[in-house]
Amino acid sequence: MAMAAPPFLATALLVLTLTALCSGNAVRAQTPVFACDASNATLAGYGFCNRKASASARAKDLTSRLTLAEKVGFLVDKQAALPRLGIPEYEWWSEALHGVSYVGPGTHFSPLVPGATSFPQPILTAASFNASLFRAIGEVVSNEARAMHNVGLAGLTFWSPNINIFRDPRWGRGQETPGEDPLLASRYAVGYVTGLQDAGAGNATDGALKVAACCKHYTAYDVDNWKGVERYTFDAKVSQQDLDDTFQPPFKSCVVDGNVASVMCSYNKVNGKPTCADKDLLSGVIRGDWNLNGYISSDCDSVDVLYNKQHYTKTPEEAAAITIKSGLDLNCGTFLAEHTVAAVKAGLVSEEDVDRAITNNFIMLMRLGFFDGDPRKLAFGSLGPSDVCTSSNQELARETARQGIVLLKNSGALPLTAKSIKSMAVIGPNANASFTMIGNYEGTPCKYTTPLQGLGANVDTVYQPGCSNVGCSGNSLQLSTAVAAAASADVTVLVVGADQSIERESLDRTSLLLPGQQMQLISAVANASSGPVILVVMSGGPFDISFAKASDKISAILWVGYPGEAGGAALADIVFGHYNPSGRLPVTWYPASYADTVEMTDMRMRPDTSTGYPGRTYRFYTGETVFAFGDGLSYTTMSHSLVSAPPSEVPVRLAEDHPCRAEECASVEAAGDHCEGLAYDVHLRVENAGAVAGAHSVLLFSSPPSVHGAPAKHLLGFEKVSLAPGEAGTVAFRVDVCRDLSVVDELGRRKVALGGHTLHVGDLKHTMNLRV
């Protein structure tokens, strides 16, 4: 999303204003503005206001009443008011990446609702490997969004989540995503979108939605600004195999399984075509193959970008025409409002094409209740300011951070016992972080609990930043005071890492080392410390901290992502053993040499032994790691044993005339009659063999035969289970051979590889041989 947004004090959603009463603290909202006011007899007679008709019929009725000049005003995010039909202004652009955000002009905060619950950035939430949590967060965010909408402060269309694959560890926006694995990203997308959109069984008529989510940025988007290569002009050269195997699955799941309301096309080109002007990607795949029930939006100013920066068309009218004809419905920006009428008059695009686009947009607003009258008299109308920042919502933010935090090293120092600690040194540029904890696409949080505050609530602390900022340059390094504090304390907690000055939208990293002189700060403090040293890394992307992993002076390492408003409290819960860590890394942590040898713009996923190219993500990367995908320690020991599994020999029963019955094949199609009934249960017994209660994420992987450049392993499923000491539980997976064990061949086709497939959870393995 373009951060060069219009000022968010300019035209909030529905042009709703707040009236602050200066007497005392009383604040009230104006009556919300809405279409189809039941008290207006003229409006009540319009077909588009007839709530008994279908959303499609109502949208077509509205479209039929508009002139071409009026129609183009409904192609852009800042939808103009149309007084003659009683339609108010509406701003489509609101954000809810990890809570209701003030990014985007459709939403803002006021004395009436001064903040909203700020959850961890998605990269940390994904580390929980807890699909029910993904949905629960979405439900809370949509409750708060609807509550704000009812008092004129928020929109109904939220352009979240970001489900791009975190392909390269330097990407500045990786923090916004669920990580590098397609299945994890897919499960996150479906869970969060369902939580946002689900209107409940009693309100599900005609596809009714609570709020409308949007999966972005479609597709193969993961370069923002790296060594001068910008997202606005980057052409992602992607093989069909990598596209269908890595980049597309989260979007497909979002549409097919999550029934998302919208997909947003990205700035970049894919194989020479801007995604927002690629008819095959938009009309062909999203709306055709996947049957999107919703609208397709551009990223902000993408249409302008493909004309003015990519020079993809010769005239602005051609740019307007090609995007609409490709399947774009809504332009974030003003380009289509400015150039579509001329494009129609020039015969470049038909008015029927414009009708199709705005009808899709109107149907979405119908499903959201925008044309149903006063929202306070509709479903969710009882939600209001008291439903925002509730204690339960804030506790869920803390619980999410607890579940996501990853323990990467522990020599036995953790958990700490507060009673035995007289003083704790809390050191580092992120040790007292507040705003840093909520990452980007943020909203005003309910409150902050910084690491210093969280730890200080348990023991006496001495605080030294060590560096005045995370850049930790020579001028900002404050070694002497930090060393002195560590030398005199019983235990030291170092909180280092990054913030938005290091990694963000429009800024990719060029190094995987900690910024500036953070490494020197850590080493000096660790060497001076008289007690255990706990290193905490606060960041979205991974760092090469091999020195700390190998150091005897550093007792434990925690990665906390950007942990949201309650990050400091959650950190303290882990450090002092109030909560047993169960997070698992959703990305690979590479050595620093990776950034020196692999171009960020090289989109290839698979390794190339002829050139020494090591590949990307745990599925294909062949080099050494600092920490691996799925790494994460606990304060207890969990054991796995196999209760039931597929047979070791599995016949794939092909039709009599199938060519692979007569000749040897490496694989068969992952569709057809031979896939029917080809599914098996995997039951695992998980036992807490330690003395501490805890949650445990069970990750089921498969290693397929080495055909079609198949991944070394890939995630089939994950489940989270909580067990008391000595307790055992059963975790069940359903493995569908054609769905779960298939790989993508060189032409982008799903195939089931014949031969041995090894299922594994931790050190537990089981091989099933697929044969004709």
Side-chain angles (χ1 to χ4, degrees):
M1 198 67 77
M3 295 304 290
F8 52 77
L9 289 181
T11 316
L13 172 66
L14 311 181
V15 197
L16 298 173
T17 58
L18 291 176
T19 302
L21 303 181
C22 296
S23 56
N25 294 318
V27 182
R28 64 180 177 87
Q30 257 189 329
T31 301
V33 179
F34 46 86
C36 298
D37 185 349
S39 66
N40 186 322
T42 301
L43 298 180
Y46 290 139
F48 66 84
C49 289
N50 179 8
R51 294 176 59 184
K52 294 181 180 180
S54 69
S56 176
R58 297 171 70 188
K60 289 177 182 177
D61 175 81
L62 176 54
T63 300
S64 71
R65 298 174 184 274
L66 305 176
T67 67
L68 177 61
E70 290 171 334
K71 288 174 182 177
V72 299
F74 294 98
L75 290 170
V76 294
D77 67 293
K78 187 177 179 180
Q79 175 183 297
L82 191 59
R84 74 177 182 85
L85 294 178
I87 300 174
E89 192 173 84
Y90 178 74
E91 174 57 67
W92 286 77
W93 180 6
S94 290
E95 300 278 355
L97 180 69
H98 54 107
V100 180
S101 171
Y102 49 57
V103 176
T107 301
H108 61 279
F109 294 95
S110 79
L112 184 65
V113 182
T117 308
S118 186
F119 290 89
Q121 279 282 57
I123 193 66
L124 187 70
T125 299
S128 72
F129 283 88
N130 186 346
S132 63
L133 181 63
F134 305 157
R135 175 166 180 161
I137 295 169
E139 290 173 350
V140 165
V141 173
S142 60
N143 275 344
E144 296 196 344
R146 269 286 180 171
M148 293 177 66
H149 172 71
N150 289 341
V151 293
L153 291 173
L156 291 167
T157 46
F158 289 84
W159 290 347
S160 305
N162 179 344
I163 58 168
N164 292 117
I165 295 296
F166 197 167
R167 174 188 61 92
D168 189 287
R170 294 162 286 191
W171 187 30
R173 300 189 74 175
Q175 60 183 291
E176 302 174 27
T177 76
E180 69 182 33
D181 180 75
L183 178 81
L184 176 58
S186 296
R187 293 280 299 275
Y188 179 87
V190 172
Y192 190 61
V193 165
T194 303
L196 286 174
Q197 294 191 164
D198 189 6
N203 302 305
T205 56
D206 205 17
L209 299 171
K210 192 176 182 184
V211 301
C214 173
C215 282
K216 61 185 185 182
H217 311 81
Y218 181 81
T219 183
Y221 168 72
D222 53 21
V223 173
D224 263 64
N225 187 349
W226 180 76
K227 295 184 177 182
V229 178
E230 288 192 312
R231 58 184 175 166
Y232 302 116
T233 53
F234 178 58
D235 186 2
K237 301 295 186 181
V238 185
S239 70
Q240 193 64 46
Q241 183 177 34
D242 284 341
L243 189 67
D244 289 334
D245 183 41
T246 295
F247 300 106
Q248 295 289 70
F251 289 98
K252 181 178 181 180
S253 290
C254 193
V255 175
V256 175
D257 302 319
N259 197 22
V260 74
S262 175
V263 174
M264 175 184 287
C265 52
S266 52
Y267 291 114
N268 58 291
K269 292 186 277 189
V270 174
N271 299 327
K273 285 186 179 182
T275 62
C276 293
D278 192 324
K279 189 172 185 177
D280 290 335
L281 283 177
L282 303 188
S283 294
V285 176
I286 299 177
R287 199 170 290 284
D289 295 345
W290 300 343
N291 196 27
L292 173 72
N293 180 22
Y295 69 102
I296 298 175
S297 170
S298 77
D299 205 337
C300 291
D301 297 320
S302 289
V303 185
D304 183 271
V305 163
L306 73 86
Y307 170 66
N308 281 309
K309 292 197 174 186
Q310 297 175 354
H311 308 296
Y312 189 69
T313 63
K314 292 181 179 179
T315 69
E317 291 79 18
E318 289 173 336
I322 195 171
T323 53
I324 293 172
K325 285 164 48 174
S326 293
L328 188 69
D329 300 311
L330 189 76
N331 164 215
C332 179
T334 60
F335 197 92
L336 291 187
E338 295 166 354
H339 300 292
T340 300
V341 171
V344 172
K345 290 181 178 179
L348 299 172
V349 65
S350 69
E351 188 167 351
E352 288 73 21
D353 288 324
V354 175
D355 290 349
R356 171 199 49 77
I358 64 171
T359 297
N360 287 334
N361 299 337
F362 289 149
I363 288 173
M364 184 52 53
L365 292 179
M366 300 290 176
R367 293 170 63 193
L368 288 163
F370 182 77
F371 286 93
D372 289 350
D374 191 338
R376 296 169 302 180
K377 297 179 181 179
L378 305 174
F380 315 112
S382 62
L383 294 172
S386 63
D387 297 293
V388 183
C389 285
T390 65
S391 58
S392 61
N393 292 358
Q394 293 184 61
E395 177 58 28
L396 186 63
R398 181 172 178 169
E399 173 65 15
T400 302
R402 285 191 295 236
Q403 288 197 32
I405 290 173
V406 183
L407 178 62
L408 293 170
K409 174 184 176 179
N410 189 18
S411 62
L414 292 181
L416 299 176
T417 303
K419 292 181 180 179
S420 65
I421 298 171
K422 293 182 180 178
S423 66
M424 171 185 282
V426 184
I427 296 171
N430 278 336
N432 199 29
S434 54
F435 185 70
T436 295
M437 295 194 302
I438 61 174
N440 67 353
Y441 282 85
E442 75 287 355
T444 304
C446 308
K447 63 180 181 181
Y448 288 113
T449 303
T450 73
L452 179 62
Q453 291 169 335
L455 296 167
N458 291 268
V459 295
D460 291 335
T461 58
V462 175
Y463 165 61
Q464 289 293 337
C467 297
S468 59
N469 55 65
V470 295
C472 208
S473 63
N475 294 332
S476 69
L477 189 62
Q478 303 162 6
L479 265 186
S480 59
T481 52
V483 165
S488 61
D490 295 328
V491 62
T492 298
V493 177
L494 272 158
V495 191
V496 299
D499 64 12
Q500 302 304 302
S501 71
I502 303 297
E503 53 179 1
R504 68 173 187 275
E505 185 171 16
S506 299
L507 180 64
D508 301 317
R509 289 191 281 150
T510 57
S511 171
L512 295 181
L513 296 174
L514 288 167
Q517 299 189 56
Q518 286 192 30
M519 188 185 303
Q520 291 91 319
L521 171 67
I522 294 166
S523 297
V525 167
N527 287 330
S529 178
S530 58
V533 176
I534 315 302
L535 177 65
V536 179
V537 180
M538 185 180 294
S539 68
F543 286 101
D544 183 346
I545 53 171
S546 302
F547 76 98
K549 181 181 179 182
S551 174
D552 293 335
K553 296 287 187 178
I554 296 175
S555 308
I557 302 174
L558 290 159
W559 174 70
V560 300
Y562 292 119
E565 66 176 42
L571 172 63
D573 290 338
I574 299 286
V575 166
F576 290 104
H578 306 313
Y579 189 92
N580 190 348
S582 62
R584 310 281 288 270
L585 287 180
V587 291
T588 301
W589 286 40
Y590 301 86
S593 59
Y594 188 87
D596 300 328
T597 57
V598 177
E599 296 285 305
M600 188 175 176
T601 50
D602 191 330
M603 300 294 291
R604 290 177 297 165
M605 297 301 300
R606 287 158 170 79
D608 184 345
T609 55
S610 67
T611 62
Y613 181 70
R616 295 182 177 278
T617 75
Y618 82 94
R619 300 168 71 227
F620 301 106
Y621 176 60
T622 56
E624 297 295 319
T625 63
V626 180
F627 295 106
F629 176 91
D631 276 358
L633 304 174
S634 171
Y635 295 152
T636 190
T637 301
M638 298 285 184
S639 65
H640 310 100
S641 58
L642 200 57
V643 176
S644 64
S648 56
E649 294 290 326
V650 176
V652 180
R653 305 191 186 283
L654 301 177
E656 290 293 332
D657 59 348
H658 196 288
C660 290
R661 291 180 67 89
E663 59 187 70
E664 187 172 340
C665 295
S667 63
V668 297
E669 303 85 353
D673 292 343
H674 58 267
C675 289
E676 294 298 320
L678 207 56
Y680 301 92
D681 291 323
V682 176
H683 290 177
L684 298 165
R685 185 178 187 271
V686 183
E687 182 179 1
N688 184 348
V692 180
H696 177 60
S697 293
V698 181
L699 310 187
L700 176 65
F701 293 94
S702 170
S703 291
S706 298
V707 298
H708 302 309
K713 68 175 183 177
H714 62 108
L715 188 64
L716 297 189
F718 55 88
E719 295 292 339
K720 195 139 193 168
V721 59
S722 296
L723 299 170
E727 184 183 6
T730 300
V731 174
F733 296 96
R734 182 70 170 172
V735 177
D736 183 297
V737 170
C738 291
R739 181 193 66 201
D740 300 320
L741 300 185
S742 58
V743 298
V744 176
D745 74 4
E746 294 78 0
L747 299 179
R749 300 170 301 190
R750 279 268 163 199
K751 293 293 188 70
V752 176
L754 298 175
H757 293 252
T758 300
L759 307 178
H760 44 105
V761 173
D763 295 330
L764 184 66
K765 295 183 178 180
H766 174 79
T767 298
M768 51 191 296
N769 184 50
L770 302 182
R771 57 176 175 80
V772 175

